[in-house]
Structure formats: C-alpha cells, structure tokens
Amino acid sequence: MKGVALVLRLLHDGERDLEQDLLAAASRHRVEHEFHHVAIDVARWSREHAARLAETGRDHGLDLSGPRGKPQAGALAALREKASEALGRRPEPGLLLLHDLRDLHLSAAGNALHWEMLGQAAQAGKDTRLLGLVSACHPQTLRQMRWTETLLKVLSAQLLTSTSLPD
C-alpha cells in the first residue's frame, strides 16, 4: 500500500499548510472580524486532521510528526506581505483578502481531492479504520471549500468594481 502512504503524506502536509495559511490570513485580516474568527475556527479542523493523519500514518510505517521538507506557505505569505509593505506596494486590503481566499480555496480543494482518493483506496482495500478517518474529516474540508467559495462570490463583485488599481 505504498500509494496510500504517499497520499497520507501529501494530505498531512496539505492540512498543515492549510492550517498555517488560514492562521496567517486571519492575522492579516483582523479587522474583518467574521473572516478572522471563522478562519481560526476552520484552521483548527486542519490541525485536527493533520494529527489524525499522523496517527494513521504510523499504521502505514510513516512518521508524519517531524519538520517539513519545504517552507510553510503561511510563512511565505507573511514574508511576501512584509516585503510588499517595505516596498510601499501593499495591495488594497480587499484585494489582498480576495487573493488570500483564492489561495485558501485552492488549498482546501487539493486536500478534498486527496481525501477523496484516500476514501476510494480505503473502500477498495476494505480498510474500515481509514474509511472512518475519511468519513470524519473529508466533510469538514468540503465545508472549508464552501466557506471560501461563498466569501469569494459575495466579496468579488463588491471589491472588484469598487477598487481602483494602480496603472
């Protein structure tokens, strides 16, 4: 089951990245109170998913508890924001929020696809424990996707038609 181990690792890394990205976006958009608080809440889901995946990974011979091999996307986003501020090219807050929502949606979508793949493998292998994990976590990832998509739909028309962009 080397394929299952690969997807477990990818999904674990994806959930950790999504958690960090959600927390970084929540921090950047503290003045958007609803976004800030919901982002922190749904980041907790990704943290719980990563912990459960690490536990399941041990059953598949994986150690998913160590440091990442690549920098976390949340850290890169924070660095990008600080560099923009230093150069005086900070985007409009609304546009930055749309950009963050887009990135968060794509990350959640990637995780949702990995959960789907893991679920299919669990069904094919008749792995009830793995199927239980997927059944518990995948719906929350889909809710993360729906939340970001809803905010993108609500905010896009308003922000994109009211914001003047620099030439």
Side-chain angles (χ1 to χ4, degrees):
M1 283 212 147
K2 292 181 189 230
V4 169
L6 174 65
V7 174
L8 283 169
R9 179 176 300 286
L10 290 170
L11 185 51
H12 179 263
D13 290 349
E15 289 287 2
R16 286 175 63 182
D17 288 346
L18 183 55
E19 176 198 4
Q20 292 302 309
D21 290 345
L22 282 161
L23 293 174
S27 177
R28 273 193 299 279
H29 303 288
R30 282 184 297 275
V31 297
E32 299 290 338
H33 298 289
E34 183 179 348
F35 173 84
H36 174 80
H37 292 292
V38 174
I40 290 171
D41 288 344
V42 299
R44 186 176 20 250
W45 292 346
S46 287
R47 183 178 332 114
E48 291 167 1
H49 296 174
R52 292 182 71 176
L53 285 160
E55 182 181 315
T56 301
R58 284 190 285 279
D59 297 340
H60 293 270
L62 296 173
D63 179 13
L64 299 174
S65 61
R68 295 286 312 270
K70 63 177 185 168
Q72 296 175 343
L76 290 175
L79 181 61
R80 182 179 65 230
E81 180 184 5
K82 292 294 181 194
S84 293
E85 287 175 6
L87 295 173
R89 292 191 306 243
R90 180 169 166 78
E92 292 291 326
L95 294 179
L96 181 59
L97 179 57
L98 286 179
H99 180 78
D100 283 343
L101 284 166
R102 175 195 162 276
D103 287 349
L104 292 169
H105 184 77
L106 292 174
S107 293
N111 288 349
L113 289 172
H114 284 122
W115 280 117
E116 189 64 45
M117 293 164 54
L118 204 56
Q120 293 300 314
Q123 285 180 343
K126 298 183 183 356
D127 186 336
T128 56
R129 186 163 180 234
L130 188 57
L131 193 56
L133 173 67
V134 172
S135 296
C137 297
H138 188 214
Q140 290 178 324
T141 301
L142 293 173
R143 285 171 59 194
Q144 288 170 322
M145 277 180 53
R146 283 192 302 273
W147 172 67
T148 57
E149 183 177 17
T150 299
L151 283 177
L152 281 164
K153 287 178 179 179
V154 169
L155 296 173
S156 290
Q158 175 187 354
L159 292 171
L160 294 177
T161 58
S162 67
T163 304
S164 60
L165 298 174
D167 294 327

